[in-house]
């Protein structure tokens, strides 16, 4: 475990797998951003609205978190996702088939593919994928200036969704819109990065799809850290005494087997993401056996909530 100073405040970063699992299952490490240091700027520190401000699966803990998590459950059952797998293959094949023979896949394909899959899963028709693309991009430009416009786009998408989310009693239409935003935005920014890493690896190895998925995620986690957690009381951890309100992160570049988390907040979309990547690998290998890179690859450094990404993925498909 390391202690560093971020935003003029001590931050503890967990780097050992077993210690990370302990933190991710310990209720004394809470997700509510209301516990963050009071002087932190939410935009700079990447803080979501507090649990009191916005119902969200990523900031609730305990029974409220369990109740909201059940709202997502019908979308992500194993049986539903296995039945949906041919649709993922079809979407990958269709989107790849629309590309020119020489293309930079990170320009449009790797951001679009996960959103096309998620929109189909949510019952949002393909014509609205452009709205999803535009809204996701706005979330990453001049944050948080464009958030209201982006969230208006996600609200329109929520109105188009036909999939059932079993929202807890007492929730509002705005709460439903926020859950659709969470599914689309979180599913896009992570799978976008993972898909580009997977295709780059696919073009340089002969690993089978399951190995490609696992090793791509291990080598280049889509996020460098877990979301923030904050101690609800003083905690002794690995020989260090953390005060109440201590910010804690798990370094996923050092514990990549926990890329989808662990414990109560294990990513509810983990199986979907892995199947999406497998579908892409199988489709790419089958349809474009002679595809090749046309230039050396370089990567950005991890930045905030975003893992490293390829500057470009120039490919000749046939």
């Amino acid at each position: 475990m390391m202690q560093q100073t971020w935003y003029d405040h001590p931050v503890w970063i967990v780097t050992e797998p077993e210690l990370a699992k302990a933190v991710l299952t310990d209720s004394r490490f809470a997700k509510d951003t209301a516990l963050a240091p009071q002087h932190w700027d939410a935009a700079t520190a990447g803080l979501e609205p507090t649990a009191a401000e916005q119902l969200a699966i990523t900031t609730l803990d305990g029974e409220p978190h369990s109740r909201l998590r059940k709202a997502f459950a019908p979308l992500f059952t194993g049986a539903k996702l296995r039945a949906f797998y041919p649709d993922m293959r079809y979407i990958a094949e269709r989107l790849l088939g629309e590309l020119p023979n020489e293309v930079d896949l990170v320009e449009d394909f790797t951001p679009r593919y996960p959103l096309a899959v998620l929109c189909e899963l949510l019952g949002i028709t393909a014509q609205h994928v452009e709205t999803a693309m535009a809204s996701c991009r706005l979330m990453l430009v001049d944050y948080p200036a464009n958030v209201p416009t982006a969230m208006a786009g996600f609200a329109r998408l929520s109105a188009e969704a036909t999939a059932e989310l079993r929202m807890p009693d007492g929730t509002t239409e705005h709460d439903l819109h926020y859950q659709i935003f969470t599914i689309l935005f979180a599913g896009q920014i992570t799978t976008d990065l993972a898909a580009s890493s997977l295709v780059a690896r696919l073009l340089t190895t002969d690993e089978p799809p399951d190995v490609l998925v696992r090793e791509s995620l291990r080598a280049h986690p889509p996020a460098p850290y877990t979301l923030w957690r904050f101690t609800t009381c003083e905690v002794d951890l690995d020989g260090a005494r953390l005060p109440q309100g201590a910010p804690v992160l798990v370094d996923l570049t050092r514990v990549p087997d926990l890329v989808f988390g662990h414990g109560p907040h294990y990513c509810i979309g983990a199986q979907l993401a892995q199947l999406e990547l497998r579908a892409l690998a199988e489709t790419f290998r089958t349809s474009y056996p002679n595809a090749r890179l046309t230039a050396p690859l370089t990567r950005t450094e991890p930045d905030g909530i975003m893992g490293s990404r390829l500057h470009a993925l120039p490919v000749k498909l046939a």
Side-chain angles (χ1 to χ4, degrees), residues 10 15 23 32 34 53 58 79 102 120 125 128 142 151 163 168 173 210 212 216 234 238 245 257 283 288 302 317:
T15 58
V23 167
D32 190 353
E53 292 170 329
T58 47
E102 294 195 36
E120 182 74 16
T125 56
H128 296 291
D142 295 329
M151 293 304 292
E173 185 177 34
D210 284 347
L212 275 169
S216 296
E234 287 190 349
D238 195 34
D257 288 337
T283 302
Y288 302 98
L317 293 172

Side-chain angles (χ1 to χ4, degrees), residues 17-217:
E18 292 308 311
L19 189 61
K21 289 180 181 178
V23 167
L24 297 177
T25 55
D26 190 329
S27 62
R28 295 175 299 173
F29 296 85
K31 300 292 293 295
D32 190 353
T33 56
L35 299 169
Q38 292 300 304
H39 71 277
W40 273 12
D41 175 73
T44 303
L47 299 177
E48 291 184 79
T50 68
E53 292 170 329
Q54 176 59 64
L55 190 75
I57 198 170
T58 47
T59 56
L60 292 174
D61 286 296
E63 182 57 28
H65 171 256
S66 297
R67 286 197 305 270
L68 184 58
R69 192 177 175 94
K70 289 177 182 177
F72 292 80
L75 282 175
F76 298 108
T77 65
K80 181 178 182 64
L81 294 179
R82 287 190 295 272
F84 188 57
Y85 189 76
D87 296 89
M88 299 184 213
R89 288 285 307 264
Y90 171 76
I91 290 168
E93 184 175 2
R94 174 174 59 81
L95 293 179
L96 287 167
E98 294 171 353
L99 299 174
N101 188 44
E102 294 195 36
V103 64
D104 178 2
L105 292 178
V106 301
E107 279 293 312
D108 188 82
F109 174 77
T110 61
R112 184 177 299 273
Y113 170 60
L115 283 175
V117 170
L118 286 166
C119 283
E120 182 74 16
L121 185 66
L122 288 165
I124 299 170
T125 56
Q127 70 191 74
H128 296 291
V129 172
E130 290 299 332
T131 299
M133 288 277 289
S135 297
C136 285
R137 284 172 173 157
L138 281 173
M139 291 295 296
L140 300 174
V141 177
D142 295 329
Y143 184 87
N146 292 315
V147 168
T149 303
M151 293 304 292
F154 289 117
R156 292 194 299 274
L157 292 166
S158 177
E160 296 292 332
T162 60
E164 180 184 5
L165 292 183
R166 300 170 183 169
M167 296 293 290
D169 291 343
T171 55
T172 66
E173 185 177 34
H174 176 75
D175 290 329
L176 175 60
H177 294 170
Y178 197 86
Q179 310 322 307
I180 297 295
F181 151 70
T182 299
I183 292 170
L184 290 172
F185 184 60
Q188 193 262 1
I189 61 171
T190 52
T191 310
D192 172 9
L193 300 185
S196 61
S197 295
L198 178 135
V199 173
R201 189 180 187 95
L202 179 152
L203 293 171
T204 56
T205 75
D206 59 359
E207 293 169 339
D210 284 347
V211 176
L212 275 169
V213 172
R214 183 180 70 246
E215 295 306 317
S216 296
L217 291 169

Side-chain angles (χ1 to χ4, degrees), residues 1-2 13-26 29 236-239 248 250 255 258:
M1 186 173 68
M2 303 184 296
I13 302 176
V14 180
T15 58
E16 298 83 26
E18 292 308 311
L19 189 61
K21 289 180 181 178
V23 167
L24 297 177
T25 55
D26 190 329
F29 296 85
D236 290 318
L237 185 66
D238 195 34
V248 180
V250 172
V255 287
L258 300 182

Side-chain angles (χ1 to χ4, degrees), residues 222-245:
Y225 302 102
T226 56
L227 296 177
W228 289 108
R229 283 169 170 76
F230 306 95
T231 53
T232 60
C233 59
E234 287 190 349
V235 177
D236 290 318
L237 185 66
D238 195 34
R241 188 156 187 82
L242 278 61
Q244 182 177 349

Side-chain angles (χ1 to χ4, degrees), residues 222-301:
Y225 302 102
T226 56
L227 296 177
W228 289 108
R229 283 169 170 76
F230 306 95
T231 53
T232 60
C233 59
E234 287 190 349
V235 177
D236 290 318
L237 185 66
D238 195 34
R241 188 156 187 82
L242 278 61
Q244 182 177 349
V248 180
L249 295 169
V250 172
D251 186 342
L252 296 175
T253 66
R254 301 193 183 208
V255 287
D257 288 337
L258 300 182
V259 67
F260 292 108
H262 184 72
H265 283 275
Y266 183 77
C267 176
I268 199 167
Q271 186 176 7
L272 172 63
Q274 291 171 90
L275 287 173
E276 281 182 81
L277 295 172
R278 182 188 175 98
L280 175 57
E282 290 180 349
T283 302
F284 207 98
R285 279 252 171 91
T286 300
S287 300
Y288 302 98
N290 299 317
R292 60 181 177 84
L293 295 170
T294 58
L297 302 180
T298 59
R299 285 185 170 272
T300 66
E301 292 296 317

